[in-house]
């Protein structure tokens, strides 16, 4: 299995490859369609052909977008930025395909938009789709989406460095190693694919710019400053014009999207037909300005006409980008300023200013001066342009920033009602601690298959206002009290599964997220809690109360007691053996006492055989905290003897057994490290049956493992004087009870003919107890166990007293508890049930805690 970082780079390669191919396909299709349109305009009257193609292409593109993916309208760049800011918006393969086809129709029919917006959205959508096929954490998904967006931009402009910078400067604003690594790799591969197979319509190196003798003299700096100021002012005017056009089209909602785009295509075709022939090819128009094949009048007409048509076209909702058009506008503006300088000073050619003007206008519109400099430099590869590029880009940025600090994409999102605020810089304690430090590791959950009635019962027995919903151990949604209450007005049947009313794909955080960021999400989405996930696996939950508690502990000077195990050094493995890893899961058995080891190993073997697990045996040797585990000499003879028992048992049962000896400061920490490193699915550990530690339910070690282990935990208090013939299972209906029932066939196989009694306690006031759960459990167990299975409902005011009385009357050998949200769990947490049963009963007691509970 690949490590997460290596997997990220493999995924980045795939994203770069696919994004590059998509960009090549879009570029080739647009170039072919554009060449065909220009060719036909020479064969037939242009005033008929160009408007007709524009009308037809616009209608088809609008129909595709409206019918299959409304999210594919517009540039797509702002939508990608919103997704990266954790705004829930669709971004998938369907949108990528519709964007590809509709953008080809729009651009191929002559509308003056760019293909960089579609390639960015297509790359991001393909990356997001890949992250759905290969489930990963939300934070890693954001990094992959950013890499896809950067790859799309790099492929569109043949500018890999600019693709990376655009991700850092505009989209994700993150410079972490993994983000930069994936963005660089994806952008590089996409750019290579584009250079090998693309159309090179945005690659200006083929224009032989060296023959134009680009120069830079200090006396020209005032003209470059003027160019920067003009670009900044026109950039702001351009952004305002885009918003005004969108607002105008919003008032025309009675006109469908296909007709709005079609009408704009018609108008564009008429305008181009009335203009010189050079305007029929947008790429050729830019090249004329850059190579000096035009004059000042031509540049002025190009600036006015393109400025107007771009604003009108984008306002219609046509799928297409705005960055490439800004290059045309910048080139025209730069040519005009350069022509003025040339007539007054006679130094540099107007074409030099045309090149520099592209970066100035780009910077003013998008508020990304560094990307603007790099993208034009990568397109021209002319070092003489670097200094003037820096001057005009910074000046244009400062002028535009002074008037309106928002970029075009921020404005577009705000126009849609999406306000992205920059996250405040985290300071103090909230920046030092992360979610894993304070989250609750024992999470009460609901199964996605639970009915609404069962959810109502869960809420009635819990103080929580919402529950994470899990399926096969993975977080699939969250259900709130409001969701349950609303089912009454929706007239849903009470046996409807809660996956029909839950909120799918809820907002989550990773364990490494700072408390400042957690608080930001809680405030931003007005939430009371956030699930903490690794990939899709739920490992904890964090609430506002948890953060308040941390602040209170800091004020009281007790913060150092919050997570005592974090200050300890990691455990050190001094011995290990490995068997063939051929089974589907792994069961960990920490061994400490020779008198209980054999029984625990027999139970582990029974579970492993039933579930097709391997067994991992752990022996922990404790050293004083003032010594380093890796440097402290220890005696391992007894440890080797214990582990040899396990290996022999594995050979007898034909079960792979791995062993290891760890030297550690803390037993619980060593167990948790093993769980994480060895990908443990279930921990089976012994317990002495009582504790003298104040504030502990079981013991310090057991409490820590139950609270923090991200897997199933089975806790056993053994009584070696009894066998495993008579089993008593009190049930409560939660995931822990379910897990206990799932384990019972394996555990009961320790006896040749076990007698199993299922036992459910109902309040004395309940006249007709609902025994559906009991009946279902009996039906599940009967075909899976060799002995007798019975079920007994009883009424009692005290659950622990009733369980103990039943165990004594039936002479039970084993009591297996699976306590969940109901009163069993509350009393278990308070120490009542396990403590009472252990103290007052001679039975072996098994407590099951499910990973999903």
């Amino acid at each position: 299995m690949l490590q997460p970082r290596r997997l990220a780079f493999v995924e980045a390669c795939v994203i770069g490859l696919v994004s590059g191919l998509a960009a090549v396909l879009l570029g080739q299709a647009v170039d072919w369609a554009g060449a065909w349109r220009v060719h036909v305009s020479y064969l037939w009257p242009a005033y008929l052909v160009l408007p007709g193609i524009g009308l037809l292409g616009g209608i088809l593109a609008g129909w595709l977008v409206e019918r299959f993916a409304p999210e594919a309208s517009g540039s797509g760049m702002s939508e990608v930025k919103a997704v990266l800011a954790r705004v829930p918006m669709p971004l998938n393969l369907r949108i990528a395909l519709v964007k590809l086809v509709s953008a080809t129709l729009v651009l191929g029919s002559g509308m003056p938009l760019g293909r960089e917006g579609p390639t960015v959205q297509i790359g991001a959508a393909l990356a997001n789709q890949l992250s759905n096929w290969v489930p990963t954490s939300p934070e890693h998904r954001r990094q992959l989406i950013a890499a896809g967006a950067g790859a799309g931009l790099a492929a569109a402009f043949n500018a890999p460095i600019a693709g990376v910078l655009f991700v850092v400067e505009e989209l994700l604003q993150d410079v972490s190693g993994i983000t930069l690594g994936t963005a660089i790799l994806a952008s590089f591969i996409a750019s290579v694919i584009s250079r090998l197979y693309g159309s090179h319509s945005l690659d200006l190196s083929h224009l032989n710019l060296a023959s134009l003798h680009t120069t830079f003299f200090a006396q020209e700096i005032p003209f470059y400053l003027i160019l920067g100021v003009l670009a900044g002012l026109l950039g702001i005017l351009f952004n305002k014009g885009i918003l005004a056009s969108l607002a105008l089209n919003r008032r025309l909602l009675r006109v469908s999207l296909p007709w709005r785009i079609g009408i704009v295509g018609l108008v564009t075709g008429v305008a181009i037909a009335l203009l010189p022939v050079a305007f029929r090819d947008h790429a050729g128009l830019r090249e004329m300005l850059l190579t000096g094949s035009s004059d000042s009048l031509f540049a002025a007409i190009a600036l006015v006409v393109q400025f107007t048509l771009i604003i009108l076209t984008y306002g219609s909702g046509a799928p297409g980008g705005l960055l490439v058009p800004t290059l045309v506008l910048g080139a025209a503006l730069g040519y005009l300023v350069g022509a003025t300088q040339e007539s007054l000073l006679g130094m540099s050619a107007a074409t030099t200013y045309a090149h520099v003007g592209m970066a100035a206008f780009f910077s003013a519109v998008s508020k990304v001066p560094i990307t603007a400099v790099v993208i034009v430099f990568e397109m021209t590869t002319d070092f003489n342009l670097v200094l003037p590029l820096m001057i005009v880009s910074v000046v244009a940025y400062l002028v535009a920033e002074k008037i309106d600090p928002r970029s075009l994409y921020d404005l577009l999102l705000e126009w849609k009602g999406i306000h992205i605020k920059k996250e405040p810089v985290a300071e103090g304690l909230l920046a030092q601690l992360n979610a894993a430090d304070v989250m609750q590791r024992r999470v009460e959950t609901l199964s996605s298959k639970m009915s609404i009635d069962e959810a109502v019962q869960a809420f009635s027995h819990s103080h929580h206002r919402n529950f994470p919903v899990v399926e096969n151990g993975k977080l699939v949604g969250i259900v709130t009290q409001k969701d349950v209450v609303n089912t009454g007005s929706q007239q849903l049947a009470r046996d409807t599964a809660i996956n029909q009313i839950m909120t799918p794909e809820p907002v989550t955080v990773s364990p490494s997220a700072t408390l400042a960021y957690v608080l930001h999400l809680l405030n931003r989405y007005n939430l009371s809690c956030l699930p903490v996930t690794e990939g899709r696996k739920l490992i904890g939950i964090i609430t506002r109360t948890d953060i308040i508690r941390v602040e209170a502990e800091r004020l009281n000077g007790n913060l150092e007691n919050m997570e005592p195990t974090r200050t300890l050094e990691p455990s050190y493995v001094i011995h290990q053996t490995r068997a063939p890893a051929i089974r589907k899961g792994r069961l960990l058995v920490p061994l400490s006492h020779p008198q209980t080891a054999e029984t625990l190993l027999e139970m582990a073997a029974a579970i492993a055989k039933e579930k097709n697990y391997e067994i991992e045996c752990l022996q922990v040797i404790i050293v004083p905290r003032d010594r380093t585990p890796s440097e402290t000499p220890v005696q391992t003879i007894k440890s080797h003897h214990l582990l040899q028992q396990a290996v022999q048992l594995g050979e007898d049962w034909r079960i792979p057994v791995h062993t290891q000896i760890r030297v550690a400061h803390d037993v619980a920490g060593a167990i948790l490290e093993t769980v994480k490193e060895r990908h443990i699915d279930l921990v089976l550990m012994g317990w002495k049956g009582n504790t003298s530690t104040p504030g502990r339910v079981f013991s310090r070690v057991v409490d820590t493992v139950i609270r923090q282990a991200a897997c199933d935990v089975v806790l056993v208090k053994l009584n070696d004087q009894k066998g495993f013939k008579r089993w008593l299972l009190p049930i409560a209906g939660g995931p822990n009870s379910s897990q206990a029932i799932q384990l019972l066939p394996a555990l009961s196989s320790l006896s040749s003919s076990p007698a199993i009694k299922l036992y459910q306690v109902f309040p004395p006031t309940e006249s007709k107890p609902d025994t559906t759960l009991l009946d279902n459990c009996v039906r599940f167990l009967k075909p899976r166990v060799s002995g007798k299975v019975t079920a007994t409902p009883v009424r009692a005011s005290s659950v622990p007293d009733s369980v103990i009385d039943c165990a004594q009357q039936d002479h039970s050998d084993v009591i297996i508890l699976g306590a969940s949200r109901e009163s069993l769990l509350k009393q278990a947490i308070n120490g009542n049930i396990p403590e009472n049963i252990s103290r007052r009963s001679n039975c072996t007691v098994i407590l099951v805690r499910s990973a999903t509970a």
Side-chain angles (χ1 to χ4, degrees):
M1 180 178 293
L2 289 176
Q3 296 179 354
R5 182 175 290 271
R6 293 180 182 177
L7 178 61
F9 291 135
V10 171
E11 290 172 329
C13 292
V14 175
I15 290 169
L17 177 63
V18 176
S19 299
L21 292 174
V24 167
L25 180 60
L26 176 62
Q28 296 284 17
V30 169
D31 288 348
W32 179 87
W36 174 82
R37 177 178 56 84
V38 173
H39 177 70
V40 173
S41 69
Y42 290 129
L43 300 178
W44 301 89
Y47 61 86
L48 294 177
V49 170
L50 296 179
I53 292 176
L55 176 64
L56 182 60
I59 290 175
L60 288 176
W63 178 80
L64 276 174
V65 171
E66 187 176 61
R67 176 68 177 81
F68 297 105
E71 304 86 355
S73 65
S75 167
M77 200 91 76
S78 57
E79 286 77 6
V80 173
K81 185 173 183 177
V83 170
L84 292 174
R86 299 181 177 86
V87 176
M89 298 183 73
L91 192 64
N92 50 42
L93 184 60
R94 170 179 55 86
I95 294 174
L97 294 176
V98 172
K99 191 77 169 189
L100 178 65
V101 178
S102 60
T104 300
L105 291 170
V106 165
L107 303 181
S109 60
M111 297 187 211
L113 297 179
R115 70 171 189 261
E116 85 297 329
T119 59
V120 167
Q121 189 175 20
I122 290 169
L126 293 174
N128 189 48
Q129 188 66 57
L130 176 64
S131 71
N132 290 331
W133 288 336
V134 184
T136 184
S137 67
E139 195 61 31
H140 182 49
R141 180 178 292 115
R142 289 178 67 237
Q143 292 167 340
L144 293 180
I145 293 173
L153 188 74
F157 287 102
N158 288 324
I161 301 176
V164 176
L165 288 177
F166 191 74
V167 168
V168 173
E169 198 173 12
E170 172 65 11
L171 295 181
L172 196 56
Q173 298 177 346
D174 179 13
V175 292
S176 63
I178 191 72
T179 300
L180 282 177
T182 53
I184 290 172
L185 197 54
S187 298
F188 168 76
I189 293 176
S191 185
V192 168
I193 296 296
S194 180
R195 286 180 182 272
L196 289 176
Y197 305 108
S199 61
H200 305 289
S201 61
L202 292 177
D203 185 359
L204 305 181
S205 59
H206 70 285
L207 299 180
N208 194 22
L209 299 176
S211 63
L212 301 177
H213 304 293
T214 56
T215 55
F216 172 72
F217 300 97
Q219 296 91 324
E220 299 178 83
I221 291 180
F223 287 92
Y224 285 118
L225 294 176
I226 292 172
L227 175 57
V229 171
L230 291 176
L233 296 174
L234 279 179
I236 291 295
L237 182 61
F238 179 80
N239 290 352
K240 300 295 184 184
I242 291 291
L243 297 181
S245 180
L246 289 169
L248 175 63
N249 276 271
R250 176 176 281 181
R251 298 192 190 101
L252 302 175
L253 286 178
R254 287 176 295 180
V255 181
S256 65
L257 180 65
W259 280 107
R260 292 206 306 269
I261 301 177
I263 291 171
V264 168
L266 176 68
V267 172
T268 300
V270 171
I272 292 176
L274 297 175
L275 290 168
V277 174
F279 282 83
R280 299 180 188 181
D281 181 5
H282 298 298
L285 176 64
R286 183 178 60 253
E287 292 180 4
M288 289 184 65
L289 293 168
L290 296 177
T291 57
S293 304
S294 60
D295 53 24
S296 298
L297 178 61
F298 183 90
I301 295 174
L303 179 61
V304 174
V305 172
Q306 288 287 311
F307 193 96
T308 305
L309 290 180
I310 291 167
I311 289 175
L312 289 176
T313 303
Y314 190 85
S316 69
L322 289 171
L323 293 186
V324 171
T326 62
L327 298 182
V328 177
L329 298 177
L333 176 63
Y335 190 95
L336 292 173
V337 175
T340 304
Q341 176 275 141
E342 195 172 13
S343 64
L344 294 176
L345 300 181
M347 292 185 173
S348 296
T351 53
T352 301
Y353 285 77
H355 287 84
V356 173
M358 292 192 297
F361 211 96
F362 189 108
S363 175
V365 169
S366 301
K367 304 294 193 300
V368 284
I370 300 176
T371 303
V373 171
V374 173
I375 202 168
V376 174
F377 173 72
E378 284 193 283
M379 291 168 62
T380 60
T381 63
D382 189 344
F383 282 96
N384 292 327
L385 293 176
V386 172
L387 190 55
L389 282 173
M390 294 172 66
I391 294 173
V392 298
S393 296
V394 171
V395 172
Y397 169 76
L398 292 176
V399 171
E401 178 83 7
K402 185 68 175 178
I403 300 173
D404 190 343
R406 297 166 296 179
S407 73
L408 174 60
Y409 303 112
D410 292 329
L411 292 171
L412 291 175
L413 287 174
E414 291 179 12
W415 183 82
K416 296 175 182 178
I418 301 172
H419 298 270
I420 298 178
K421 297 180 180 179
K422 292 184 178 179
E423 298 172 9
V425 178
E427 297 179 357
L429 178 68
L430 297 184
Q432 298 169 10
L433 298 177
N434 55 37
D437 295 327
V438 301
M439 69 183 183
Q440 303 172 37
R441 297 179 184 271
R442 287 200 66 178
V443 187
E444 298 181 40
T445 63
L446 301 181
S447 167
S448 62
K449 296 181 175 60
M450 272 190 174
S451 66
I452 294 176
D453 259 345
E454 291 173 316
V456 170
Q457 293 179 21
F459 278 110
S460 67
H461 290 93
S462 174
H463 65 278
H464 296 306
R465 291 179 294 172
N466 44 51
F467 285 111
V469 181
V470 296
E471 184 175 315
N472 298 326
K474 307 297 183 184
L475 179 69
V476 295
I478 197 164
V479 64
T480 67
Q481 285 182 342
K482 186 177 180 181
D483 295 330
V484 175
V485 171
N486 289 342
T487 58
S489 61
Q490 297 171 5
Q491 298 181 344
L492 292 175
R494 307 308 294 175
D495 60 351
T496 301
I498 61 172
N499 58 14
Q500 301 298 314
I501 64 170
M502 70 180 184
T503 301
E505 299 183 5
V507 179
T508 62
V509 292
S510 66
S512 60
T514 64
L515 292 191
Y517 179 64
V518 171
L519 189 59
H520 164 71
L521 289 183
L522 290 172
N523 292 332
R524 178 174 180 175
Y525 297 106
N526 194 26
L527 303 172
S528 60
C529 66
L530 278 174
V532 184
T533 58
E534 284 185 340
R536 291 180 59 199
K537 186 172 185 178
L538 180 68
I539 63 171
I541 197 163
I542 189 167
T543 66
R544 294 177 185 272
T545 304
D546 296 324
I547 298 177
I548 293 172
R549 173 176 56 81
V550 170
E551 287 284 6
E553 289 178 343
R554 178 182 65 85
L555 294 174
N556 294 331
N558 296 327
L559 188 62
E560 63 273 9
N561 298 324
M562 184 188 68
E563 188 67 50
T565 60
R566 290 181 61 84
T567 60
L568 303 179
E569 292 189 33
S571 61
Y572 182 70
V573 178
I574 60 172
H575 169 80
Q576 64 179 359
T577 63
R578 292 288 175 259
I582 57 175
R583 298 202 171 195
K584 68 176 186 179
R586 197 165 288 159
L587 186 157
L588 175 65
V589 186
L591 300 175
S592 57
H593 301 293
Q595 59 269 31
T596 61
E598 183 176 354
T599 306
L600 283 177
L601 288 171
E602 288 177 355
M603 297 176 71
I607 296 173
K609 187 175 181 181
E610 176 78 16
K611 288 182 166 287
N612 195 28
Y613 280 1
E614 302 162 11
I615 296 177
E616 182 89 24
C617 291
L618 171 67
Q619 228 284 312
V620 181
I621 300 176
I622 300 299
V623 297
R625 301 197 176 194
D626 59 347
R627 298 187 181 182
T628 303
S630 60
E631 299 175 356
T632 305
V634 293
Q635 294 291 331
T636 62
I637 297 176
K638 292 182 179 179
S639 300
H640 282 292
H641 180 70
L642 271 178
L643 297 180
Q644 187 58 41
Q645 284 184 256
V647 173
Q648 185 60 50
L649 182 67
E651 292 176 357
D652 295 341
W653 285 63
R654 296 183 179 179
I655 297 172
V657 174
H658 315 280
T659 67
Q660 59 174 293
I661 301 174
R662 286 179 181 258
V663 180
H665 290 150
D666 176 72
V667 174
I671 293 173
L672 293 174
E673 289 174 29
T674 306
V675 168
K676 185 174 182 180
E677 294 173 10
R678 297 290 292 156
H679 308 289
I680 300 299
D681 297 281
L682 186 149
V683 176
L684 175 68
M685 59 190 302
W687 168 48
K688 62 183 179 181
N690 55 62
T691 179
S692 59
T693 307
R696 298 290 179 179
V697 178
F698 305 110
S699 68
R700 186 181 62 81
V701 173
V702 173
D703 280 10
T704 303
V705 173
I706 286 181
R707 187 175 65 251
Q708 298 185 22
C711 64
D712 298 339
V713 177
V714 177
L715 184 61
V716 183
K717 192 242 4 185
L718 287 171
N719 186 333
D720 292 334
Q721 304 302 318
K722 291 199 171 188
F724 297 97
K725 184 175 179 60
R726 290 177 294 275
W727 294 74
L728 176 64
L729 174 57
I731 61 174
N736 288 323
S737 289
S738 174
Q739 183 66 8
I741 293 170
Q742 295 285 340
L743 290 175
L744 194 51
L747 293 172
S748 64
S749 67
L750 295 171
S751 174
S752 57
S753 56
I756 298 173
K757 183 174 184 177
L758 305 181
Y759 189 80
Q760 188 170 9
V761 180
F762 295 93
T765 56
E766 194 165 341
S767 57
K768 293 183 178 180
D770 183 1
T771 61
T772 304
L773 181 60
L774 278 173
D775 298 336
N776 290 339
C777 292
V778 171
R779 280 195 295 271
F780 172 81
L781 288 173
K782 277 189 173 180
R784 291 173 172 82
V785 298
S786 58
K788 182 180 179 182
V789 179
T790 59
T792 303
V794 298
R795 295 185 183 89
S797 57
S798 171
V799 175
D801 289 344
S802 178
V803 171
I804 294 168
D805 290 343
C806 179
Q808 290 175 346
Q809 291 171 11
D810 293 352
H811 304 288
S812 299
D813 300 318
V814 186
I815 300 176
I816 179 168
L817 296 170
S820 186
R821 291 172 298 277
E822 295 76 21
S823 57
L824 274 173
L825 176 62
K826 294 181 180 178
Q827 296 186 56
I829 291 176
N830 294 328
N832 294 337
I833 288 179
E835 291 285 333
N836 284 335
I837 292 176
S838 298
R839 186 172 58 251
R840 296 160 52 188
S841 172
N842 293 325
C843 300
T844 290
V845 179
I846 301 175
L847 183 70
V848 179
R849 195 273 284 164
S850 171
T852 61

